[in-house]
Amino acid sequence: MTTKRARGCDHPAGCHTGEVPTLASATTKARFWLLIEHAGPWASELADCELPEPVHALIRRAAGLGVRAQLVRRPLQRRATPTPLRLMVADTTAEVPWLAEGFFDDPSDLDLGSLVRGVVPESCILVKEPVFLVCTHARRNACCARIGLPIARVLGESQPGRVWETTHVGGDRYAANLVCLPHGLYYGSMSQAAAIAAANAYRHGEIVLDRFRGRAGIPEPSQAAEHFVRAHTGELSVGGVAVESTRSDGDVTEAIVRHGDVSFRVVVERAVFAPCGTACADAIATYRLAALEHIQCGTPVLT
């Protein structure tokens, strides 16, 4: 087995503090999720982790189907992985997002084909309560463990039985990262207080815009368009805003976003955030709002 040395805090000033813009940075490729309970240790890459071959086979099968696989463990769990193996699956962009879990002696019994068809696999049951993932993947990035571990512990006390440490979720510069399932809501640069606030809001069907990265499985320009409509309207319910269509031309995207009975035309542009005040090599890609107007009357709200 080969392992990679963990990266440290080599990101621009302001990362991990909330100063760096987090909007529209959720992973775009994770519509379907597979969570595998494993106490660790975790190597930098899943392929290098010391896992039973049937689990590695399951991870490879998931990758072939476009399912994002994560190893998870309870906060501070370092004992042997329980048996039978707990597996959880989620469809984050279904009309009604769902999460289900099951316990398997043989991981090959999990029907991932059903998952990608939007159907709860046999031997799994729907989970009614949300699940919160905190990235603590030290081998991937030291900051994820240094900042994430205390947050996972405190959040676990606030949301008993619903919190898991997890492997890399994307966006090391935004550590600590929090993912709320089944909707796949991403938060970054979290403090303990911010994580508790976000989890409490999600349990009530709402989003906290501060440090909200976006929703997994949705293109970044659409995440940005949703963010700006929420900021303008004050709409915080998880399903209260939806992108109906988009059209892109280079770095500019025009989106039609529905909010209740109102639709908005939103234009967003890719932009650069340079913490040093210049277009430095460590500049971070983000989005700026170019125009926002009610589509019914075409009257600009903000340009």
Side-chain angles (χ1 to χ4, degrees), residues 33-261:
W33 292 66
L34 166 65
L35 310 182
I36 304 167
E37 184 173 9
H38 185 263
W42 298 337
S44 177
E45 304 293 338
L46 294 190
D48 295 328
C49 290
E50 295 183 355
L51 302 169
E53 176 52 32
V55 176
H56 275 300
L58 176 64
I59 292 172
R60 291 193 295 269
R61 188 154 52 96
L65 292 171
V67 177
R68 185 181 185 97
Q70 301 281 143
L71 300 182
V72 298
R73 63 191 175 205
R74 292 296 189 191
L76 302 180
Q77 176 189 357
R78 300 297 184 269
R79 299 186 300 275
T81 300
T83 55
L85 183 65
R86 184 201 302 261
L87 300 174
M88 290 178 277
V89 291
D91 183 348
T92 64
T93 57
E95 183 175 351
V96 180
W98 54 266
L99 175 75
E101 71 175 359
F103 295 85
F104 297 83
D105 292 313
D106 184 353
S108 66
D109 289 338
L110 176 62
D111 183 6
L112 290 177
S114 291
L115 170 62
V116 298
R117 293 192 300 272
V119 178
V120 177
E122 292 186 8
S123 302
C124 290
I125 59 173
L126 288 172
V127 177
K128 296 181 179 180
E129 293 291 322
V131 161
F132 302 100
L133 307 180
V134 180
C135 180
T136 60
H137 199 167
R139 287 284 185 178
R140 187 65 179 242
N141 188 285
C143 296
C144 293
R146 179 178 61 83
I147 308 173
L149 282 169
I151 289 177
R153 182 178 67 252
V154 169
L155 191 60
E157 295 170 354
S158 172
Q159 307 287 340
R162 310 316 315 161
V163 178
W164 298 84
E165 296 180 25
T166 192
T167 47
H168 179 64
V169 297
D172 295 335
R173 63 164 52 95
Y174 303 112
N177 283 297
L178 170 69
V179 181
C180 307
L181 293 174
H183 285 83
L185 306 183
Y186 266 61
Y187 289 89
S189 302
M190 299 301 277
S191 65
Q192 295 179 18
I196 291 173
N200 286 335
Y202 186 55
R203 290 184 68 95
H204 290 88
E206 294 187 341
I207 289 170
V208 176
L209 274 186
D210 181 40
R211 310 191 189 195
F212 181 54
R213 291 183 57 190
R215 183 170 174 180
I218 298 175
E220 290 178 355
S222 295
Q223 295 179 38
E226 283 195 11
H227 181 97
F228 291 124
V229 170
R230 288 184 182 279
H232 172 70
T233 62
E235 178 60 70
L236 297 178
S237 65
V238 172
V241 173
V243 173
E244 296 184 328
S245 64
T246 60
R247 181 178 62 185
S248 296
D249 182 6
D251 288 340
V252 179
T253 297
E254 177 182 314
I256 304 302
V257 183
R258 176 185 50 77
H259 169 237
D261 295 330

